[in-house]
Amino acid sequence: MLSSEEFILEQCEKELNLFPKSDSEISQHLMELGYLPAHLVNTFSQKHEDVAIEKFEYDLIDSGIFTLSEIVHQRKLGRESYVKYFLRRLTDIDEGITFESLPQRGQTTLASRVIHYRLDLFGLWVQPIEIPFGMASMMSIMQIAGFGRCNALEAVNHLANVQEFTNHLLQQHDKENFVLSFYSAQASEKLKRKLDRRRRFGAQLEDDFGNSNTYIDLLQKHIFKNNQNNIDYVFLRRESNNPLKQFLVRLIQVHQWQEGFYDGLLDSNLGDLSLDSILQSIRSHNEADKKDVKIHRVLTYLGNGYFMFNALFFLTEYAIEENMVDETQIWDSLTSDIKNAQPEQQQIFQDNLQDLRVGIQKQQSSISQKKGILKRLYYGIKKLLKKAFRFAKKMFKWVVNKASRVWGFLKRFFANFFDRLKVGLAAFIDGIRFLIGRKVIFTGNRFRFISTWCRLDADVSTIAIDASANMIKEHTKEVRYRWAALAFSLAVTGLVLKSLSRALNVLSWPLALFSIVNSFKVVSEQYKKLELVTN
């Protein structure tokens, strides 16, 4: 009969086996930073990726962007996790890294790659990411500086935090600059008819800005006329070509992409997919905030392919989350909802959580290119956590009901959960195996090998069969590495076992997984703080 620890180990091993051995995240980030050529998106081999990772690791240490103690700590979690962690940090635009100075011209550095990546996200870079920092780099940076009314270095650092930069733009520019006109050749006739609320939109703008506002008077004169045939499309074309307003259109697309409402190309073209993501966002916030904001409050179709968008309202109400978030509160709220739910709802939640996992893995399994643009996923978490805090009381219900309007958001939010779960499960399994005497470190093959067996209540045992000197050296190195990592694994294991009930059943299994994720997060943060102090 299995002991409780052996039963937990068996369940966790089954759970870990559900994860694919690899995904495309590392490959995507390597392409985003120019380590893998974008033209190889569908043809690159493992050798291409290995070479790119080696180059990235060299640049990572050489750059001095991160402290040695942080690099050492992350290496203890395994190479894949370590590489993925720093690639995420470098491509983060929630609370991304900031620079004390711009790169020197004529050099390709990790910093120059990050800067070109950020410019590319916002549609201001068309050259290869890996080219040296130079005049073209400065010209694009100065466009951002012009929009933000700041210097070049401040512009680069603004792009490290899209929410703060959005706030900055709102403070720097008159509010009428956030009434956007844009042309969309991709929007369907069905969506145009659905959004044809020109008069109501104009009346709402007048209420928002006041009927004595010069810009609103201008819109009333050129756009919001009784007869649609009298709309001044020359005026609309001029408005839609305004560089700042074009940038704001891209900024909104980036916001939607960050939150998972939009999963199309970052191309500044607001077609059906982009516009529908805006409608889904409005509906989701209405439900979470218990409001009834009408679509014409934000968006309308004007005619001849032109739309108008109240970005001032949208950015202020939906894109900017001011709350300071304690992630634990989000998981506590979700855990409480699971505990208090009826058994059949718990089962539905578990089943739909599995469907979410399948959707996430499918999304992450491959990367593609369309129209010369890399179709990418956003892996940052800070903005998602702020949004999840706002949505916390609805998320259990949304998962149970498989709410389509927020399924993209839920996939992005739970992608982080499953990512942590994979690493947390590996650490937990490592600790449990040691506690029950199943931890084996093996080097070689079935004919020539070294095997080291570890357990809590006995000495470490090693068996060697025809092992070479080089094999012994490699095995000793691996044992030392695993032994150092074991302290971390045991800390995770202890915290999980402390919080888990011994009588696990299928309905309580999601709670067990939540416990593993939370324990991994807590221990990881504790170790990071400890190593920052001791180093």
Side-chain angles (χ1 to χ4, degrees):
M1 184 176 177
L2 294 177
S3 68
S4 57
E5 288 83 3
E6 288 173 323
F7 174 72
I8 294 170
L9 176 62
E10 185 179 277
Q11 296 299 310
C12 287
E13 286 175 334
K14 288 179 181 177
E15 192 72 32
L16 189 58
N17 287 333
L18 293 174
F19 287 93
K21 291 185 178 179
S22 62
D23 56 42
S24 63
E25 181 184 347
I26 289 177
S27 303
Q28 176 188 303
H29 293 322
L30 290 171
M31 285 188 179
E32 288 177 314
L33 294 176
Y35 288 99
L36 271 177
H39 69 270
L40 293 178
V41 64
N42 296 316
T43 60
F44 70 87
S45 65
Q46 187 60 49
K47 184 178 179 181
H48 285 121
E49 184 171 298
D50 291 342
V51 171
I53 289 174
E54 285 182 13
K55 172 61 176 168
F56 167 70
E57 287 182 295
Y58 175 84
D59 287 352
L60 176 68
I61 296 171
D62 187 58
S63 70
I65 293 173
F66 303 100
T67 64
L68 185 59
S69 61
E70 187 172 4
I71 292 173
V72 169
H73 167 71
Q74 291 301 324
R75 275 182 171 166
K76 290 181 180 179
L77 302 180
R79 193 184 189 209
E80 181 184 345
S81 177
Y82 149 76
V83 170
K84 192 177 287 188
Y85 170 84
F86 285 109
L87 285 170
R88 280 192 184 184
R89 288 285 308 278
L90 291 162
T91 55
D92 184 15
I93 54 170
D94 281 331
E95 293 180 2
I97 59 169
T98 56
F99 300 101
E100 294 182 359
S101 61
L102 295 175
Q104 292 185 9
R105 294 192 185 188
Q107 292 187 357
T108 297
T109 63
L110 190 54
S112 72
R113 291 174 185 269
V114 171
I115 291 170
H116 291 162
Y117 154 77
R118 291 176 184 174
L119 293 170
D120 179 52
L121 275 186
F122 287 94
L124 296 173
W125 190 254
V126 295
Q127 301 188 59
I129 299 295
E130 66 274 16
I131 70 168
F133 190 84
M135 181 62 69
S137 313
M138 286 303 302
M139 289 176 65
S140 293
I141 290 170
M142 292 314 296
Q143 288 186 65
I144 298 289
F147 299 145
R149 296 174 178 171
C150 58
N151 63 42
L153 180 60
E154 289 171 336
V156 165
N157 289 333
H158 273 313
L159 296 185
N161 190 321
V162 174
Q163 178 167 293
E164 284 192 3
F165 186 42
T166 302
N167 252 331
H168 178 79
L169 292 171
L170 287 166
Q171 293 167 9
Q172 290 294 318
H173 294 277
D174 294 335
K175 57 185 182 180
E176 50 261 33
N177 283 311
F178 295 89
V179 179
L180 309 181
S181 304
F182 60 89
Y183 176 79
S184 175
Q186 293 85 7
S188 66
E189 292 302 316
K190 180 181 178 181
L191 188 60
K192 289 175 182 177
R193 289 192 297 271
K194 183 177 183 178
L195 296 176
D196 190 359
R197 299 291 186 272
R198 182 172 54 90
R199 298 298 304 281
R200 290 185 183 180
F201 181 87
Q204 185 65 62
L205 276 184
E206 194 169 301
D207 288 344
D208 289 348
F209 287 77
N211 53 19
S212 60
N213 183 282
T214 304
Y215 183 71
I216 300 302
D217 290 343
L218 199 63
L219 292 181
Q220 295 290 357
K221 177 181 177 182
H222 291 279
I223 307 299
F224 301 117
K225 297 185 176 183
N226 291 330
N227 190 339
Q228 187 173 352
N229 294 326
N230 293 328
I231 292 175
D232 187 346
Y233 288 104
V234 174
F235 172 82
L236 269 181
R237 191 178 303 113
R238 186 169 62 248
E239 280 289 291
S240 64
N241 288 331
N242 180 306
L244 172 63
K245 296 190 175 186
Q246 287 180 329
F247 177 75
L248 291 174
V249 167
R250 179 64 166 242
L251 178 67
I252 287 159
Q253 197 176 54
V254 169
H255 273 291
Q256 293 293 93
W257 171 70
Q258 280 185 287
E259 295 178 3
F261 285 104
Y262 176 69
D263 65 353
L265 298 175
L266 290 178
D267 56 5
S268 302
N269 294 318
L270 300 190
D272 273 19
L273 199 59
S274 294
L275 295 173
D276 190 57
S277 80
I278 291 169
L279 304 186
Q280 301 289 23
S281 186
I282 294 169
R283 294 184 184 115
S284 303
H285 286 87
N286 275 346
E287 185 175 349
D289 300 341
K290 297 181 180 179
K291 292 183 179 180
D292 187 25
V293 175
K294 304 298 183 184
I295 292 172
H296 70 259
R297 179 76 177 77
V298 181
L299 182 64
T300 190
Y301 178 63
L302 300 174
N304 284 6
Y306 283 95
F307 294 78
M308 189 164 280
F309 184 60
N310 187 344
L312 179 67
F313 179 84
F314 188 84
L315 291 172
T316 303
E317 290 293 316
Y318 302 143
I320 296 174
E321 300 288 348
E322 300 289 2
N323 292 322
M324 296 296 292
V325 176
D326 179 0
E327 187 178 351
T328 305
Q329 291 179 274
I330 301 170
W331 295 113
D332 284 350
S333 175
L334 197 50
T335 300
S336 176
D337 288 341
I338 296 170
K339 284 180 178 178
N340 295 328
Q342 294 298 315
E344 58 271 21
Q345 283 192 309
Q346 291 181 336
Q347 184 64 60
I348 293 170
F349 178 86
Q350 181 171 322
D351 293 342
N352 290 350
L353 194 64
Q354 179 61 22
D355 288 346
L356 269 173
R357 184 213 292 261
V358 171
I360 291 164
Q361 290 175 354
K362 183 178 179 181
Q363 209 174 38
Q364 295 178 345
S365 63
S366 62
I367 48 178
S368 60
Q369 202 176 47
K370 188 176 180 181
K371 301 176 184 177
I373 302 171
L374 184 67
K375 186 175 181 180
R376 49 181 137 202
L377 297 174
Y378 184 61
Y379 290 91
I381 189 63
K382 297 293 184 182
K383 191 166 191 283
L384 275 172
L385 288 176
K386 290 179 179 179
K387 190 64 68 179
F389 184 78
R390 186 169 179 175
F391 289 168
K393 293 181 179 179
K394 295 292 180 181
M395 284 204 293
F396 175 79
K397 177 183 174 183
W398 284 343
V399 173
V400 169
N401 294 337
K402 261 192 170 177
S404 59
R405 64 190 170 281
V406 288
W407 204 245
F409 164 78
L410 291 173
K411 281 200 289 189
R412 295 310 320 131
F413 177 72
F414 279 100
N416 179 260
F417 167 80
F418 286 117
D419 188 63
R420 285 181 179 173
L421 178 61
K422 182 179 179 181
V423 184
L425 276 170
F428 181 64
I429 290 169
D430 193 48
I432 286 286
R433 282 177 176 165
F434 177 76
L435 291 175
I436 64 176
R438 289 196 195 173
K439 182 169 178 58
V440 179
I441 303 169
F442 183 88
T443 306
N445 55 49
R446 61 178 178 164
F447 302 110
R448 303 178 64 190
F449 65 85
I450 306 177
S451 180
T452 298
W453 179 50
C454 311
R455 61 178 294 166
L456 184 63
D457 57 353
D459 294 332
V460 174
S461 302
T462 299
I463 298 173
I465 303 294
D466 200 18
S468 65
N470 188 57
M471 188 183 292
I472 293 172
K473 181 180 178 182
E474 288 300 313
H475 184 77
T476 303
K477 181 180 178 182
E478 181 69 11
V479 169
R480 285 174 177 169
Y481 167 77
R482 294 286 190 90
W483 196 255
L486 184 59
F488 179 87
S489 297
L490 287 173
V492 173
T493 303
L495 199 58
V496 172
L497 291 176
K498 183 179 179 181
S499 61
L500 283 182
S501 164
R502 287 187 174 272
L504 286 175
N505 56 58
V506 67
L507 295 182
S508 64
W509 187 239
L511 299 179
L513 300 184
F514 283 12
S515 176
I516 290 169
V517 169
N518 187 56
S519 299
F520 168 74
K521 174 180 175 291
V522 170
V523 174
S524 185
E525 289 176 352
Q526 289 173 346
Y527 266 67
K528 185 176 178 181
K529 289 177 183 177
L530 178 62
E531 293 194 357
L532 287 173
V533 171
T534 56
N535 286 285

